[in-house]
């Protein structure tokens, strides 16, 4: 129908309404339906569509008006409705209504068809297990054997494919032209291998096989495949006893031009041992292994398998060779270094010093540390001065609690959507992060991991690279702890560690005293090597994905005072860019409203990772580059920048005996028990909660940060004054950020000190590539500043002995820095001269003469003054038990000529 006829119809509508004594429609109403023709720039099709919708809306208006009049009891409307104009108009409306219904039905059919088509497109592809072989000979052989004996052809095919000579490489190994290309190729291979390994752990072995088949069937992607990738999938099928799929992987290995190695044969024998294969098939496999130059004994000495997997391999071998027995464990190697020859070749047993705690106490401490590591986090009460509880603070805490509940639901939803999308991409044959996100439960990721990162971000934001790496490392650490718990390694650790404590406890004698590493190795066979850390590209990619989940899901109302649901939602985190060292970097920054909410709430609790807190029991002895320190959390023997793997590879290929010196040294350092110096801690907390003291190394609060003299300039200020103000603002901002960093560092240290105030704890150690040793916990240890050193003292004290007090006085003078060039006797005499100041500092550190504040190391000086005062006032200074660490350096210079004999009980 044309626009003119519709216009006439509109006029007829007005006349009909006027006939029925109904209020006429205003021109604006009709123009709202069809619009002004003069100003319309739509196409004819668009105009027809608008007309159709206008007709439908008009029909709805008329029907609603009629229903309204009928409800009011106006019966004359129904009498006049039988007139001819009304009948023609009703027919037209009915016809148009039927037309619109048919159009709606056709549209619904089209939408349903499109939805079904989209569902079929989004539906994941079926996983392909049968390989697509490039070699025509191997492909026809596989197909022919499957058709000849479809019931059980796989034993014969495995024996036949093992005898096949590997095909020539269908692609030449391309040598990258530069280091960048080589690093890119290596990164892709690391990601693919990590995906396959993680798929096995997370229970997605068919998905890993599907991706392997997809890569193998594409010539450009096949160059990324290596023998360890095939072995990974092969070992997964062997653990499940799936012989058919294992043979498929062997065909791909031969088709790729690769020769099976020890791990390949170990997977085949393990699978046959689980399925009780006949002896002939196993014998043919062993014969082919011998022809490849591989010895059967090597399966038990050079291949890293669990006890259960070794038992299955031995079970298969026993069917073909009943007289075979695995080689015995080699005797422990002895370090033959010339520097350590006297340490490891002494005649008779070597006695090891015991701790001052009994066995039962050490067992209880072990259980406490085990519970802490199973939760992977430690909650510590903050030592920041708690503000008075106000109505605003309570409301902010209530709001935070409600927001966390909403964030948890939103994070679960976004996480599920992300996993579904990544799973679809993996079914397309592309390695994704899907198996990595399946390692931990949604509750673990949502409720524990991600909110910690949200609350730990500073107000100025943090580099996305730093946040991503931290999230990736946390996910890997939690995964390792979970794997140990699920594989019953925790129970085995409890039994072995309980026996190990007999060497350290003060009330349990040991028949043959030895070093902790040697004693630990004598308690059982060496542990299987743990899972290799994920490569840095995978850690970064996983961390960025988790950070993006936070950005997408975590929102809060813009105005918290407005009732919930009526205020606009804003993201709590957002991406910004900044320049650091002339480089543009991405920063993940929290919204100022969220920061203000945290400040108002003033929650008095800090959360630390387990590896950032000292241990509550003696650490595990270092026995290898990947075993030692914390009970469950993975720790590196050699700390290095993330992504550098050459150090770890060199350590793993190094003969174990060559590492004994470094391993035993780190174990000895870690077995030293510590405690907190409570007197010094009280004084530091008093300053920290007041306004700090930069002179004494106690950072002031943010309220003491410098501020510009004026924040606004009057109109017409000269450009020089504006530039000066900009420089002043930049200087104040820099100082405020530095003060915030120092304040946060001191807050962590003092909060941990207060948390461990009445406890004994241990500091596990590792080293760098130069051999320098460092405590693993970063925030609270004895290698920090003067303040950090003064807060610690030995948990086990020793009597000073006849010369111990003299050593304390010399140590005190050394800390002051006042007599650096004097002899030891002159320093001792100076300490006697300053005895009044020493005692005054010990008795009235904040109200007396404050002599200790003028030294180079004021807090350590104060701690030593207190120790000297207690020793001097003791009835017998030689019998006084001291816990204070004393620094000593042996030498042959003139200053050491008058060195007195060391007291037998001096704490070193």
């Amino acid at each position: 129908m044309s626009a003119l006829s519709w216009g006439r119809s509109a006029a007829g509508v007005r006349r009909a309404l006027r006939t029925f004594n109904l209020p006429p429609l205003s021109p604006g109403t009709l123009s709202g339906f069809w619009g002004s023709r003069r100003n319309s720039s739509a196409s004819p099709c668009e105009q027809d569509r608008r007309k159709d919708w206008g007709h439908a809306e008009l029909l709805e208006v008329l029907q609603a008006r009629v229903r309204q009049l009928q409800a009011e009891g106006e019966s004359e409307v129904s009498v006049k409705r039988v007139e001819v104009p009304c009948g023609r108009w009703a027919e037209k409306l009915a016809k148009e209504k039927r037309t619109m219904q048919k159009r709606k039905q056709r549209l619904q059919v089209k939408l349903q068809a499109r939805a079904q088509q989209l569902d079929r497109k989004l539906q994941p592809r079926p996983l392909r297990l049968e390989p697509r072989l490039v070699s025509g000979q191997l492909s026809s052989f596989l197909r022919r054997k499957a058709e000849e004996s479809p019931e059980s052809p796989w034993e014969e095919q495995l024996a036949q494919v093992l005898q096949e000579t590997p095909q020539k490489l269908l692609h030449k190994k391309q040598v990258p032209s530069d280091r960048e290309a080589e690093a890119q190729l290596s990164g892709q291979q690391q990601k693919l291998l990590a995906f396959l390994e993680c798929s096995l752990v997370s229970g997605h072995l068919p998905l890993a096989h599907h991706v392997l088949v997809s890569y193998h069937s594409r010539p450009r992607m096949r160059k990324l495949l290596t023998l360890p990738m095939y072995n990974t999938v092969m070992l997964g099928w062997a653990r499940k006893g799936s012989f058919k799929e294992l043979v498929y992987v062997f065909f791909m290995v031969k088709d790729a031009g690769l020769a099976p190695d020890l791990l390949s044969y170990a997977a085949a024998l393990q699978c046959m041992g689980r399925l009780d294969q006949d002896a002939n098939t196993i014998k043919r496999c062993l014969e082919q292994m011998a022809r490849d130059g591989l010895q059967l004994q090597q399966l038990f000495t050079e291949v890293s398998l669990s006890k259960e997997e070794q038992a299955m391999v031995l079970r298969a071998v026993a069917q073909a060779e009943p007289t075979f027995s695995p080689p015995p464990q080699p005797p422990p190697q002895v370090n033959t270094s010339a520097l350590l020859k006297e340490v490891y070749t002494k005649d008779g047993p070597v006695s090891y010093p015991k701790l001052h705690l009994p066995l039962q106490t050490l067992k209880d401490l072990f259980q406490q540390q085990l519970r802490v590591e199973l939760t992977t986090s430690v909650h510590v009460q903050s030592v920041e001065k708690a503000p008075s509880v106000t109505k605003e603070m309570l409301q902010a805490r209530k709001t935070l609690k409600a927001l966390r509940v909403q964030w948890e639901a939103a994070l679960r939803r976004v996480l599920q959507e992300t996993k579904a999308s990544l799973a679809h991409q993996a079914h397309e044959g592309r390695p994704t992060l899907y198996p990595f996100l399946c390692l931990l439960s949604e509750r673990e990721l949502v409720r524990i991991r991600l909110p910690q990162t949200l609350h730990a971000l500073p107000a100025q934001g943090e580099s996305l690279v730093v946040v991503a790496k931290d999230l990736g490392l946390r996910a890997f650490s939690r995964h390792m702890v979970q794997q140990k718990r699920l594989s019953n390694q925790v129970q085995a650790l409890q039994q072995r560690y309980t026996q190990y404590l007999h060497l350290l406890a003060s009330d349990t004698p040991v028949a043959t005293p030895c070093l902790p590493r040697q004693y630990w190795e004598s308690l059982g066979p060496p542990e299987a090597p743990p899972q290799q850390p994920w490569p840095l590209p995978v850690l970064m990619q996983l961390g960025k994905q988790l950070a993006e989940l936070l950005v997408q899901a975590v929102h809060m109302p813009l105005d918290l005072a407005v009732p919930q649901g009526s205020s606009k939602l804003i993201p709590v985190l957002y991406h910004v860019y900044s320049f650091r060292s002339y480089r543009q970097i991405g920063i993940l920054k929290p919204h100022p409203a969220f920061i203000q909410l945290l400040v108002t709430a003033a929650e008095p609790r800090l959360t630390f990772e387990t590896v950032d807190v000292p241990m509550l029991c003696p650490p595990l002895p270092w026995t290898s580059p990947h075993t030692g320190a914390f009970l469950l959390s993975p720790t590196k023997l050699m700390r290095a920048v993330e992504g550098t793997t050459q150090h770890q590879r060199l350590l793993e290929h190094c003969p174990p005996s060559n590492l004994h010196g470094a391993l035993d040294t780190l174990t000895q350092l870690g077995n030293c028990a510590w405690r907190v110096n409570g007197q010094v801690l009280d004084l530091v907390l008093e300053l920290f909660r007041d306004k700090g003291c930069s002179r004494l190394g106690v950072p002031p609060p943010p309220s003491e940060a410098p501020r510009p003299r004026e924040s606004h300039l009057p109109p017409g200020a000269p450009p020089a004054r504006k530039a000066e103000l900009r420089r002043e603002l930049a200087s104040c901002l820099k100082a405020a950020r530095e003060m915030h960093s120092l304040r946060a560092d001191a807050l962590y240290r003092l909060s941990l000190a207060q948390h461990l105030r009445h406890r004994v704890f241990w500091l596990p150690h590792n080293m760098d590539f130069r051999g320098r040793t460092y405590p693993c916990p970063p925030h609270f240890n004895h290698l920090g500043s003067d303040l950090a050193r003064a807060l610690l003292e030995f948990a086990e004290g020793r009597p000073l002995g006849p010369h111990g007090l003299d050593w304390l006085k010399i140590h005190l003078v050394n800390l002051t820095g006042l007599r650096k060039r004097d002899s030891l006797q002159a320093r001792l005499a100076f300490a006697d001269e300053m005895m009044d100041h020493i005692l005054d500092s010990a008795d009235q550190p904040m109200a007396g003469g404050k002599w200790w504040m003028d030294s180079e190391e004021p807090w350590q000086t104060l701690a030593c003054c207190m120790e000297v005062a207690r020793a001097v006032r003791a009835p017998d200074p030689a019998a006084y038990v001291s816990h204070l660490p004393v620094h000593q350096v042996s030498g042959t210079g003139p200053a050491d000529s008058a060195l007195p004999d060391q007291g037998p009980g001096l704490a070193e």
Side-chain angles (χ1 to χ4, degrees), residues 15 158 174 177 210 284 417 454 519 578 646 774:
R15 288 194 298 270
L158 176 62
Q174 298 180 359
S177 58
H210 172 72
R284 295 172 66 178
E417 295 174 356
L454 183 65
Y519 192 78
S578 178
Q646 60 270 28
Y774 301 89

Side-chain angles (χ1 to χ4, degrees), residues 35 214 229 471 486 657 682 733 811 843:
S214 300
M229 299 178 188
L471 283 173
L486 297 177
S657 60
D682 290 335
L733 180 61
H811 174 59
D843 297 337

